[in-house]
């Protein structure tokens, strides 16, 4: 009887003899190891252990459903340990919401793990075996992760490619984005299994090809990182303000004035060069700035004459007198006048809106969907007097690599965010790592103002120019690097590379079929 192992026609080969629970436990451990490969630890060498072991575990069973459950266990381990920080949001008001935390984490992990189960189930259903199974599964896994980035508005957090963010390989994202990087990372990480269990020439040829690919990407990225950050002809200084207001204190009536004055004091602090723009975090103030000229003037007067970019809520009049709330970014001039605004367009499900809220409201359940924000029209490039044109992002929007395109190319990216919901957990570090990936992909400097951190300026190669660490009060003053020309990924997007992954996956399947003959 032929099994689905790498080359193994005999089910007695390890780990085919494992029972169900040891197999699922080992798969879960593979997922945990792949979490450790991600930021903030970035122990990327673990990929070369976890990916081959998962391939062995899923290839040692005889039924597709067993392969699917094994990969699901790995995905559950990965997402439960990689997204544990979501529980922090439920602990801000622990008396009301704390009981939801374990259900949210386990439910989310189990649901997202289906995107790992599917490719391995398909591979088992097709009875893929032999050394080319690695190519097919790497492609199927990548396509499933691409689907995770889009289905139900998408959640491309902790993509496989982010394991390489601290290595020169991350620079290849400027060529083909995070999904193709993830595909190559999975394929290269799985190559040791071919060396261990392959047969004939492939046992040497495939690992050597993977090593050559890894070395080429590493060398190209290293050469790119050796170049200095591009400088603007006319220096432009940016100040990013980090008030470090804990989420459970941020909206307390007695502390709102304290945090507001902290923001103003940090904005007005003397520095060697007067900033050209001052950036405050997401929802930095509780007032409706469009309706509060006194608050706008107080903000503007603290910025040494520079424009201020500040996060606040906005409300507009909708049909039938309905109030439409937006999570917004405002730009103020030195007099407090509003120069422009941007409304967040990609909202957090269940955090900023309830899915199907229109249907629920139509059924008379307005109370259930109350408090939801409405999405803005989409990405825009903002122009302010004396400030280089920028692409504004609010918090969650920075995790979507495919949503960085607007009507024209900006000179830099500005993200305002409030990661205070997630305390000192891995969440803010992971969010920051994704900002670095967006800079690499687009070839644009990236300025980030975060309530509790990490606030930073990132250059177009993803290098940190200056930063303020997590949970530290202060500001970051730094010159804005010049942008690079449009990268290949900025011009082409994901679709050509997804098509290439499809082609490589089909090639792997065909080669597996020939191997069986």
């Amino acid at each position: 009887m032929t099994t689905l192992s790498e080359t193994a026609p005999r089910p007695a080969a390890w780990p085919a003899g494992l029972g169900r629970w040891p197999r699922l436990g080992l798969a879960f451990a593979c997922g945990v190891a792949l979490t450790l490969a991600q930021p903030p630890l970035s122990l990327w060498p673990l990929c070369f252990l976890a990916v081959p072991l998962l391939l062995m575990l899923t290839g040692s069973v005889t039924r597709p459903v067993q392969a699917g459950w094994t990969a699901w266990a790995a995905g559950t381990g990965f997402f439960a340990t990689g997204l544990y920080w979501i529980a922090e949001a439920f602990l801000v008001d622990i008396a009301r919401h704390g009981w939801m935390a374990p259900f949210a984490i386990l439910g989310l992990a189990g649901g997202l793990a289906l995107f790992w189960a599917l490719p391995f189930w398909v591979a088992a259903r097709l009875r893929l075996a032999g050394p080319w199974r690695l190519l097919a599964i790497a492609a199927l896994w990548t396509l499933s992760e691409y689907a995770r980035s889009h289905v139900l508005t998408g959640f491309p957090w902790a993509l496989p490619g982010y394991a390489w963010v601290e290595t020169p390989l991350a620079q290849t994202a400027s060529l083909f984005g995070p999904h193709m990087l993830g595909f190559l990372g999975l394929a290269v990480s799985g190559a040791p299994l071919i060396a261990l269990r392959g047969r004939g020439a492939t046992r040497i040829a495939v690992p050597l090809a993977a090593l050559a690919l890894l070395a080429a990407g590493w060398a190209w990225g290293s050469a790119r990182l050796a170049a200095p950050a591009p400088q603007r002809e006319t220096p432009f200084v940016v100040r990013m303000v980090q008030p470090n207001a804990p989420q459970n204190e941020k909206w307390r009536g007695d502390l709102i004035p304290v945090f507001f004055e902290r923001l103003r004091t940090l904005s007005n602090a003397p520095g060697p060069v007067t900033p050209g723009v001052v950036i405050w975090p997401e929802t930095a103030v509780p007032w409706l700035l469009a309706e509060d000229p006194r608050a706008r003037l107080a903000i503007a007067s603290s910025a040494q004459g520079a424009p201020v970019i500040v996060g606040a809520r906005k409300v507009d009049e909708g049909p039938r007198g309905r109030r439409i709330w937006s999570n917004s970014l405002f730009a103020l001039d030195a007099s407090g006048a509003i120069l422009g605004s941007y409304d967040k367009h990609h909202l957090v499900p269940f955090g900023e809106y309830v899915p199907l809220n229109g249907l629920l409201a139509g059924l008379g359940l307005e109370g259930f969907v109350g408090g939801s924000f409405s999405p803005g029209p989409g990405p825009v490039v903002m122009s302010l007097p004396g400030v280089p044109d920028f692409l504004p992002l609010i918090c969650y929007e920075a995790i979507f690599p495919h949503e960085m395109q607007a009507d024209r190319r900006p000179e830099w990216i500005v993200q305002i965010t409030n990661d205070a919901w997630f305390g000192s957990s891995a969440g803010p570090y992971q969010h920051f790592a994704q900002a670095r990936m967006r800079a690499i992909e687009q070839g644009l400097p990236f300025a980030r103002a975060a309530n509790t951190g990490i606030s930073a300026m990132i250059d177009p190669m993803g290098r940190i120019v200056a930063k303020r660490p997590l949970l530290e009060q202060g500001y970051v003053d730094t010159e804005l690097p010049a942008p690079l020309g449009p990268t290949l990924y900025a011009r082409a997007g994901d679709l050509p590379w997804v098509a290439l992954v499809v082609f490589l996956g089909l090639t792997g399947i065909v080669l597996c079929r020939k191997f069986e003959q």
Side-chain angles (χ1 to χ4, degrees), residues 94-254:
I94 191 170
R96 294 179 59 190
H97 304 127
W99 64 272
M100 301 180 187
F103 299 100
I105 298 300
L106 294 177
L108 181 64
L112 293 176
L114 295 174
F115 288 98
W116 285 33
L118 180 61
F120 287 91
W121 178 86
V122 170
R125 186 72 179 82
L126 295 174
R127 301 188 63 80
L128 302 182
W132 299 111
R133 175 175 176 262
L134 169 61
L135 180 64
I137 284 185
L140 290 169
W141 196 346
T142 300
L143 294 173
S144 193
E145 289 287 76
Y146 180 76
R148 176 165 72 89
S149 301
H150 293 80
V151 171
L152 299 177
T153 78
F155 187 59
W157 197 285
L159 294 174
Y162 296 159
W164 309 100
V165 69
E166 296 291 349
T167 75
L169 286 180
Q171 297 301 309
T172 62
S174 65
L175 301 175
F176 40 60
H179 296 292
M180 190 66 183
L181 174 59
F183 166 77
L184 294 174
L186 292 172
V188 169
S189 298
L193 181 60
I194 310 301
L196 179 66
R197 307 190 69 172
R199 293 186 301 187
T202 58
R203 185 171 187 174
I204 298 175
V206 171
L208 283 179
L211 181 61
L213 189 63
L214 179 68
W218 200 283
W220 186 85
S222 297
R224 193 169 191 263
L225 287 170
Q231 300 297 314
R232 301 181 61 84
E233 291 184 7
T234 303
F236 183 82
V237 175
V238 179
R239 173 169 292 187
M240 294 151 281
V241 179
Q242 183 170 300
N244 195 30
Q247 191 60 40
N248 61 348
E249 299 178 359
K250 192 169 184 283
W251 301 128
R252 274 178 45 182
D254 59 327

Side-chain angles (χ1 to χ4, degrees), residues 435-491:
R436 294 177 62 191
M437 289 296 293
R438 301 296 86 82
I440 295 169
E441 293 157 6
Q442 298 299 320
L444 293 173
F446 194 116
R448 189 173 195 269
N451 172 24
T452 55
I454 304 165
S455 298
M457 176 66 75
I458 303 164
D459 81 2
M461 280 80 84
R463 297 174 297 200
I464 301 168
V465 178
K467 74 173 182 177
R468 179 66 57 177
L470 188 66
L471 302 182
E472 182 178 296
Q473 176 183 321
Y475 61 88
V476 179
D477 273 358
T478 184
E479 289 189 11
L480 175 67
L484 302 175
T487 63
L488 179 59
Y489 180 69
R491 294 194 299 266

Side-chain angles (χ1 to χ4, degrees), residues 27-113:
F28 188 92
C30 288
V32 174
L34 290 172
T35 288
L36 298 177
Q38 293 268 329
L41 296 180
S42 295
L43 302 177
W44 54 267
L46 289 176
C47 294
F48 293 92
L49 174 64
V51 173
L53 179 55
L54 183 58
L55 288 168
M56 292 172 65
L57 292 168
T58 54
S60 67
V61 294
T62 57
R63 292 188 296 152
V65 68
Q66 293 174 308
W69 276 115
T70 303
W72 180 86
T76 300
F78 178 78
F79 290 111
T81 55
L83 301 179
Y84 77 92
W85 47 266
I86 291 175
E88 295 276 350
F90 295 92
L91 303 181
V92 170
D93 188 351
I94 191 170
R96 294 179 59 190
H97 304 127
W99 64 272
M100 301 180 187
F103 299 100
I105 298 300
L106 294 177
L108 181 64
L112 293 176

